[in-house]
């Protein structure tokens, strides 16, 4: 059944208030992705947002999903990004998968029984996404997958892996294909989750593949198409990351404004001090600008525009920078109290730093933008 953007965002806000805000600080202390809350998100209808209604999903566009993730990230960006990756994976299967793949995977993913993950980055590859050394070698009756992937969101609990591998070493992007791999297949090794500054609810980690035998029907996107599909998925994720940064900024502003209204010093409420008021006014302006860039990029993707990559780059570059500086400003407005873990600002600031790396660093966004400026 198709869901409107407004209905989806309202549902996300209610879910965040009930399931994320009361628990997010505990997830960070425990350094874990809360698998049980993924199940609750599925029950709330938040795990098949990009799947068309004809296939049983919610039928949202990118603008709608960005609004949902903005609402969730205001409570915890790490958990929100876990759902971004899962929803993108389900959406990709609904758009590109075979009938058998759709039938096998979409139902369990919508119910939260099967958590998805996107495996492109490698330990030595970093920002050079095309420099894939994981190989898929064609054999009689299927393929053999070998290699290692790093910085995989949902890695600690993922069930269904979208693995990008090189089928023709030396051929660059045109030899890259994508495969649907079960995390419990023989030869798949799940590596320990990363210990990070924050955002542990992403469940970030890695996988190794030791000569994993894949059947022919596990080929998801063939060579010649997979790398372009991966780049399109990354553009989508960049837009949603920008929206999530906007959500964290709005939380930071709400927290700081409420604190300054209540706190008295130097003969009156801190909210009367022009210096503090203007600090937060600048944060508010940057928040609105980030939201506008994210919305513009999301609408471009939904409309099938030709310049979506550069719009996504602008949105992510600006919003992540605004989140880093704006959240630090909101923390400063609270004084030492902003540094305490019983308030969300320090957790959001750590997540904002992670956002600067997700789906391409700020420097990578500059590459995309500069190529457009100089006609390449």
């Amino acid at each position: 059944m198709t869901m409107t953007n407004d209905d989806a965002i309202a549902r996300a806000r209610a879910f965040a208030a009930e399931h994320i805000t009361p628990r997010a600080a505990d997830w960070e202390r425990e350094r874990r992705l809360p698998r049980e809350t993924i199940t609750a998100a599925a029950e709330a209808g938040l795990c098949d947002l990009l799947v068309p209604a004809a296939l049983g999903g919610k039928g949202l566009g990118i603008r709608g999903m960005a609004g949902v993730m903005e609402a969730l990230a205001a409570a915890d960006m790490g958990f929100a990004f876990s759902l971004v990756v899962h929803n993108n994976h389900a959406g990709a299967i609904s758009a590109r998968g075979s009938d058998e793949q759709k039938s096998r995977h979409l139902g369990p993913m919508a119910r939260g029984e099967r958590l998805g993950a996107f495996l492109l980055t490698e330990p030595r590859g970093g920002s050079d996404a095309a420099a894939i050394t994981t190989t898929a070698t064609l054999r009689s009756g299927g393929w053999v997958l070998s290699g290692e992937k790093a910085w995989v969101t949902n890695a600690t609990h993922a069930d269904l892996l979208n693995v990008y591998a090189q089928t023709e070493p030396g051929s660059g992007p045109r030899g890259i294909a994508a495969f649907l791999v079960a995390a419990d297949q023989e030869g798949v090794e799940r590596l320990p989750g990363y210990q990070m500054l924050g955002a542990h609810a992403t469940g970030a980690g890695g996988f190794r593949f030791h000569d994993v035998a894949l059947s022919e029907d596990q080929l998801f996107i063939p060579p010649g198409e997979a790398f372009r599909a991966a780049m399109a998925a990354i553009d989508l994720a960049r837009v949603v990351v920008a929206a999530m940064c906007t959500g964290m900024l709005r939380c930071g502003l709400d927290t700081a404004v409420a604190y300054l209204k209540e706190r008295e010093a130097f003969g009156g409420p801190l909210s009367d001090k022009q210096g503090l008021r203007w600090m937060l006014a600048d944060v508010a302006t940057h928040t609105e600008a980030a939201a506008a860039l994210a919305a513009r990029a999301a609408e471009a993707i939904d409309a099938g525009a030709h310049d979506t990559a550069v719009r996504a780059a602008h949105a992510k570059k600006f919003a992540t920078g605004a989140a880093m500086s704006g959240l630090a400003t909101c923390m400063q407005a609270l004084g030492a109290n902003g540094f305490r873990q019983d308030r969300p600002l320090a957790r959001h600031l750590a997540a904002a730093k992670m956002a600067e790396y997700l789906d391409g660093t700020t420097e990578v966004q500059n590459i995309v933008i500069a190529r457009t400026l100089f006609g390449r």
Side-chain angles (χ1 to χ4, degrees):
M1 178 180 176
T2 301
M3 182 184 295
T4 68
N5 289 353
D6 288 345
D7 287 344
I9 293 168
R11 186 176 296 195
R13 286 174 178 157
F15 180 85
E18 181 179 356
H19 294 278
I20 303 179
T21 299
R23 301 181 177 91
D26 291 337
W27 301 336
E28 199 57 63
R29 281 192 292 271
E30 296 160 3
R31 300 193 170 203
R32 71 182 184 95
L33 185 162
R35 187 68 176 82
E36 70 281 3
T37 312
I38 297 289
T39 301
E43 293 171 353
L46 299 176
C47 284
D48 57 353
L49 299 174
L50 298 178
V51 176
L55 295 175
K58 302 302 179 294
L60 294 188
I62 307 309
R63 179 70 186 273
M65 192 174 85
V68 167
M69 297 307 165
E70 177 183 334
L72 298 180
D76 190 76
M77 194 211 81
F79 182 79
F81 195 68
S82 169
L83 286 186
V84 170
V85 171
H86 178 78
N87 273 283
N88 284 359
H89 192 3
I93 291 173
S94 72
R96 295 179 173 273
S98 66
D99 289 343
E100 191 277 335
Q101 288 168 345
K102 294 174 188 177
S103 176
R104 178 185 299 180
H105 300 303
L106 289 181
M109 293 182 81
R111 294 189 296 272
E113 298 165 1
R114 196 169 294 165
L115 183 62
F118 177 86
L119 286 74
L120 180 67
T121 303
E122 297 188 347
R124 295 178 182 273
S127 297
D128 189 359
I132 288 177
T133 60
T134 296
T135 59
T137 305
L138 187 61
R139 299 280 173 86
S140 177
W143 304 78
V144 175
L145 180 69
S146 299
E148 183 174 345
K149 296 293 184 179
W151 290 106
V152 179
T153 298
N154 293 337
T156 57
H157 290 79
D159 305 293
L160 182 63
L161 315 179
N162 181 10
V163 184
Y164 288 78
Q166 179 58 256
T167 65
E168 187 181 344
S171 66
R174 66 181 173 84
I176 294 171
F179 298 85
L180 296 180
V181 182
D184 60 359
Q185 278 189 238
E186 184 176 356
V188 177
E189 179 186 1
R190 191 191 308 268
L191 302 176
Y194 297 155
Q195 300 298 300
M196 305 180 295
L197 177 65
H200 286 92
T202 58
F207 283 90
R208 288 196 189 105
F209 303 96
H210 305 278
D211 294 331
V212 180
L214 303 178
S215 60
E216 290 180 354
D217 62 5
Q218 287 183 264
L219 176 64
F220 177 38
I221 308 175
E225 299 178 23
F227 189 73
R228 287 196 299 273
M231 293 303 98
I234 286 173
D235 286 343
L236 186 162
R238 287 171 179 168
V239 173
V240 180
V241 167
M244 292 192 298
C245 286
T246 303
M248 290 192 291
L249 279 166
R250 295 196 195 282
C251 175
L253 278 169
D254 289 346
T255 302
V257 168
Y259 180 86
L260 294 181
K261 286 181 177 179
E262 295 173 358
R263 181 76 178 228
E264 292 198 4
F266 306 108
L270 285 178
S271 59
D272 286 347
K273 309 304 178 187
Q274 186 182 72
L276 291 170
R277 292 167 71 96
W278 283 18
M279 283 167 56
L280 297 185
D282 284 342
V283 176
T285 299
H286 293 158
T287 301
E288 293 306 309
L293 284 170
R296 177 176 177 264
E299 289 165 358
I301 293 177
D302 283 337
H306 70 282
D307 59 348
T308 56
V310 70
R311 293 194 187 198
H314 279 304
K316 182 179 184 291
K317 173 188 172 181
F318 184 84
T320 54
M324 280 295 297
S325 63
L327 288 165
T329 297
C330 291
M331 286 179 66
Q332 190 69 15
L334 271 68
N337 284 323
F339 203 60
R340 291 174 52 169
Q341 290 194 356
D342 57 352
R343 299 181 187 273
L345 299 185
R347 179 164 46 81
H348 282 336
L349 186 63
K353 187 60 187 174
M354 178 181 236
E356 289 193 316
Y357 304 125
L358 293 173
D359 295 291
T361 63
T362 300
E363 292 74 19
V364 168
Q365 310 316 310
N366 279 337
I367 291 171
V368 174
I369 294 165
R371 283 175 177 167
T372 301
L373 290 176
F374 292 96
R376 289 182 56 194

